[in-house]
Amino acid sequence: MIRPIILLVVPASLFAQAQPVPQTNAKPGWQWTMDTVNTVVNAVRAGRSLQPKAWPNGARVAVLLSFDVDNETVALRFGEPTVGSLSQAQYGARAGLQRIVNLLDAHKIPATFFIPSVSLALTPTMADVIKKSGRHEFGVHGWIHEMNSTLPDSVERRLLTKALGELTTMTGTKPTGYRAPSWNFSPNTLSILRDLGFRYESSLMADDRPYELLQNGKPTGMVEIPVEWILDDAPLFDPRGDRYSPPREVAKVWMDEFDKAYDEGTMLVLTMHPHISGHRSRIIALEQLIAHIESKGAGKVWWTTHGEAAEYVRKQANLGGPLP
Ligand SMILES: [Zn+2]
């Protein structure tokens, strides 16, 4: 893919998740034919909207909270971790996760936890913390937060197969959803997800509403639950970056996103990380968001997991299972 300039303007905080763009000998787009443009754009693209006519029980909006439990894997994946970076990341497992789960469980709010397999293997007790309420979902987030978008098919496939198997063993349930560690696809990612039987995907950004993914212009039966950098805690909460935002201001951005989702009857999908949002001064942002959402009144909001939402919109749209 051709994105040679982007990293020059991305704050350092994004390097933890954004894809490093390989330098290639690719022709710039202005030398392409329209056929080439269409082929590239249609490789993976948003298809029909899966926005349902109504949410369950008359709710006006769906709210899907997700936590990417990266912990040490972001420091490990490039093979050059430092003791300091590992310790900062371990905060997610030791302190952040429990604080977040306590808040969710106090409000009886379900959430989805996308976990790299190695992250859970390093601190297996996280599974019990997450499972305790019986409300939360586990999703796949790579094996070691690998840069899946840059890997050859055989390596990406092997790591994802291993991650799915290990997460199933460690949590006792087989995850149905995937979130790419780099929020990006290789040319093979969608085919691998279909081959492994995933029912939804949550890494792309083409809409506020759920939609079906197309591959080479054809429907796949794969539900996309879209994310956005606006709705991610990592870019705004890096104290070493040049765009650090006070958590109470971040909460306002999230509240504005929620208010529009509420008015439009769509959904709010928020991504956070235990090692980032789990800190004392930052959990305030999530507390304030929850209070704001709950102020709409009982029954107005469908708090749900990504997996439940994906199955609901699939059923409402008469969408079959993912097609092999
Ligand atoms: Zn991640």
Side-chain angles (χ1 to χ4, degrees):
M1 291 295 132
I2 316 295
R3 296 185 205 89
I5 304 302
I6 292 173
L7 277 191
L8 298 178
V9 295
V10 170
S13 57
L14 283 190
F15 280 91
Q17 295 216 342
Q19 172 194 10
V21 178
Q23 296 302 309
T24 72
N25 296 318
K27 276 189 193 172
W30 58 84
Q31 294 178 10
W32 293 9
T33 65
M34 199 57 211
D35 278 350
T36 304
V37 170
N38 280 323
T39 300
V40 169
V41 167
N42 287 324
V44 177
R45 203 161 196 228
R48 65 168 164 148
S49 170
L50 298 178
Q51 169 71 31
K53 286 198 174 66
W55 294 111
N57 304 314
R60 289 206 47 167
V61 64
V63 175
L64 287 62
L65 302 183
S66 59
F67 296 88
D68 295 357
V69 190
D70 302 339
N71 299 342
E72 293 100 327
T73 58
V74 172
L76 289 166
R77 66 176 167 179
F78 291 127
E80 296 178 324
T82 64
V83 173
S85 65
L86 289 171
S87 75
Q88 187 185 29
Q90 194 186 0
Y91 185 91
R94 283 181 67 89
L97 180 72
Q98 187 67 67
R99 185 173 286 129
I100 285 164
V101 170
N102 287 348
L103 175 61
L104 297 175
D105 292 353
H107 289 263
K108 297 187 166 51
I109 291 171
T112 299
F113 293 80
F114 293 100
I115 312 184
S117 176
V118 168
S119 175
L120 190 54
L122 286 171
T123 317
T125 51
M126 292 195 299
D128 293 331
V129 171
I130 293 167
K131 281 161 78 171
K132 192 172 174 201
S133 71
R135 285 188 203 92
H136 307 309
E137 175 195 14
F138 292 98
V140 173
H141 194 43
W143 187 70
I144 195 165
H145 214 277
E146 61 273 13
M147 298 302 291
N148 64 289
S149 55
T150 66
L151 299 176
D153 178 69
S154 60
V155 177
E156 184 181 9
R157 190 175 292 269
R158 176 172 57 79
L159 291 174
L160 196 45
T161 303
K162 190 156 78 156
L164 179 61
E166 290 180 1
L167 213 59
T168 302
T169 301
M170 287 188 283
T171 65
T173 51
K174 186 175 181 185
T176 62
Y178 175 69
R179 172 164 290 160
S182 55
W183 275 16
N184 212 337
F185 279 16
S186 74
N188 309 301
T189 302
L190 183 51
S191 295
I192 297 171
L193 297 181
R194 295 170 74 180
D195 290 346
L196 292 179
F198 282 98
R199 293 179 66 79
Y200 77 91
E201 199 295 314
S202 183
S203 317
L204 304 178
M205 314 188 198
D207 208 320
D208 305 306
R209 303 161 298 173
Y211 57 87
E212 181 180 10
L213 285 179
L214 304 181
Q215 188 169 27
N216 300 319
K218 296 192 182 112
T220 62
M222 184 70 72
V223 176
E224 176 64 36
I225 302 289
V227 295
E228 233 302 331
W229 286 114
I230 306 166
L231 290 162
D232 183 308
D233 61 358
L236 295 173
F237 278 160
D238 185 345
R240 297 162 305 167
D242 56 4
R243 297 187 190 180
Y244 185 71
S245 300
R248 288 161 206 264
E249 289 187 11
V250 172
K252 279 189 200 163
V253 175
W254 294 348
M255 288 180 211
D256 287 343
E257 286 279 340
F258 168 78
D259 286 344
K260 286 292 179 203
Y262 187 85
D263 291 346
E264 295 171 354
T266 56
M267 60 183 193
L268 179 79
V269 180
L270 184 58
T271 300
M272 292 158 282
H273 302 75
H275 72 284
I276 296 174
S277 277
H279 280 278
R280 295 170 297 193
S281 61
R282 295 173 180 167
I283 196 81
I284 300 286
L286 183 56
E287 287 174 356
Q288 291 194 342
L289 177 67
I290 290 172
H292 178 75
I293 294 173
E294 288 185 334
S295 73
K296 294 290 183 188
K300 295 287 174 64
V301 174
W302 185 36
W303 296 95
T304 189
T305 62
H306 287 45
E308 277 180 348
E311 291 307 314
Y312 179 77
V313 302
R314 175 186 296 285
K315 198 168 169 198
Q316 296 299 305
N318 289 318
L319 183 67
L323 309 170

